[in-house]
Amino acid sequence: MKVISIVNQKGGVGKSTIAVNLAVCAVKDGQKVLLIDADVQGSSLAFRAIRETDDLQAVAITKPTIYKDVVNFENFDLIIIDAGGRDNTLFRSAIMAASYGILIIPVLPSQYDIWATEDTLESLREARSIVDIEAYALFNQVIQNTNVSKEAKEALEELTVENDVNLLNTVLYARVDYKKSISEGLGVIEYQPNGKAASEMDKLYNEIKGILEVWLWAWKRNL
């Protein structure tokens, strides 16, 4: 069992979209996946409700027990947690659960969003005083070839270095396929397999898959 916790205290950064798309990529890769919706808005559960195929399981956990609960789902290959955007005990429990895998922090390409991410990093620092957490920032909804995005990326790179957070190589761009596919209960790799969004998501999934394989190897070695 491996865990991916997708968190950011700031709303609207694409946590649910990333969570459900990674889940779809994983089931298409032959993995047994559990999607945990830890957001009272229930976006990931809503996606599962309209998805016609039963290849993906989803549950809601809206109490601060996720860190303890994930160990009870050992029959799944991968658990993806879609965390809410408030700094509370539930949010911190979702961060702690990443000690069983990795933490992903989606960040939008603006200076304001990068400043807002510092609150999430503070929660990460507190969690790291208790457990080891490997964390990654993901640049999301980027508009290509703009000075704003370039400056934001530079600022994000500085912030990640200061907080011992890695920056994922994959970048997700602002594309309409993400919104259209969600409304049909599909991942972008299903909705438009040859599209640019599908290519980005496939690249992201494989990058994360490689990271998790290294993490699992190290975890087993330390047992």
Side-chain angles (χ1 to χ4, degrees), residues 10 20 73 86 103 138 164 172 175 190:
K10 187 175 185 306
V20 299
F73 298 115
R86 295 181 180 179
L103 186 79
L138 170 63
D164 191 23
L172 300 182
R175 302 193 191 281
E190 300 168 309

Side-chain angles (χ1 to χ4, degrees), residues 137-182:
L138 170 63
F139 216 31
N140 189 33
Q141 298 180 26
V142 174
I143 299 175
Q144 290 180 305
N145 302 320
T146 64
N147 288 331
V148 172
S149 294
K150 181 180 179 181
E151 292 170 1
K153 187 173 186 294
E154 292 172 353
L156 181 59
E157 288 172 345
E158 292 180 8
L159 191 64
T160 53
V161 170
E162 292 171 0
N163 290 275
D164 191 23
V165 173
N166 300 291
L167 183 60
L168 289 166
N169 293 321
T170 307
V171 173
L172 300 182
Y173 292 90
R175 302 193 191 281
V176 70
D177 279 0
Y178 288 110
K179 294 181 179 179
K180 288 184 175 180
S181 59
I182 292 292

Side-chain angles (χ1 to χ4, degrees), residues 18-29:
I18 293 166
V20 299
N21 272 283
L22 286 176
V24 169
C25 286
V27 296
K28 293 301 181 184
D29 191 32

Side-chain angles (χ1 to χ4, degrees), residues 30-221:
Q31 298 198 57
K32 188 176 181 182
V33 180
L34 176 66
L35 184 60
I36 296 180
D37 196 328
D39 191 339
V40 293
Q41 292 183 349
S43 298
S44 289
L45 278 184
F47 172 84
R48 176 62 189 91
I50 63 174
R51 184 171 174 80
E52 293 184 359
T53 56
D54 294 325
D55 53 359
L56 172 62
Q57 296 188 50
V59 297
I61 300 180
T62 54
K63 294 184 178 180
T65 58
I66 300 175
Y67 173 56
K68 297 178 181 179
D69 292 342
V70 290
V71 297
N72 297 318
F73 298 115
E74 292 183 347
N75 55 322
F76 289 92
D77 301 313
L78 181 65
I79 297 173
I80 299 176
I81 301 171
D82 176 13
R86 295 181 180 179
D87 182 17
N88 51 28
T89 53
L90 173 59
F91 179 81
R92 291 166 186 262
S93 185
I95 290 179
M96 294 277 287
S99 61
Y100 295 104
I102 63 171
L103 186 79
I104 295 179
I105 307 171
V107 183
L108 300 190
S110 77
Q111 186 63 61
Y112 176 77
D113 284 272
I114 291 170
W115 287 335
T117 300
E118 293 185 11
D119 293 332
T120 300
L121 294 173
E122 175 61 29
S123 296
L124 172 61
R125 285 192 290 271
E126 293 177 7
R128 278 175 164 172
S129 68
I130 304 171
V131 292
D132 291 330
I133 299 173
E134 191 172 340
Y136 294 82
L138 170 63
F139 216 31
N140 189 33
Q141 298 180 26
V142 174
I143 299 175
Q144 290 180 305
N145 302 320
T146 64
N147 288 331
V148 172
S149 294
K150 181 180 179 181
E151 292 170 1
K153 187 173 186 294
E154 292 172 353
L156 181 59
E157 288 172 345
E158 292 180 8
L159 191 64
T160 53
V161 170
E162 292 171 0
N163 290 275
D164 191 23
V165 173
N166 300 291
L167 183 60
L168 289 166
N169 293 321
T170 307
V171 173
L172 300 182
Y173 292 90
R175 302 193 191 281
V176 70
D177 279 0
Y178 288 110
K179 294 181 179 179
K180 288 184 175 180
S181 59
I182 292 292
S183 66
E184 297 187 19
L186 299 172
V188 289
I189 65 168
E190 300 168 309
Y191 177 77
Q192 196 68 260
N194 297 318
K196 292 182 179 179
S199 177
E200 292 166 7
M201 189 54 61
D202 183 64
K203 181 180 178 181
L204 175 64
Y205 171 72
N206 282 295
E207 181 178 2
I208 292 172
K209 180 181 177 181
I211 291 169
L212 284 172
E213 287 174 351
V214 173
W215 172 87
L216 184 61
W217 175 84
W219 180 76
K220 289 181 177 178
R221 187 181 181 186

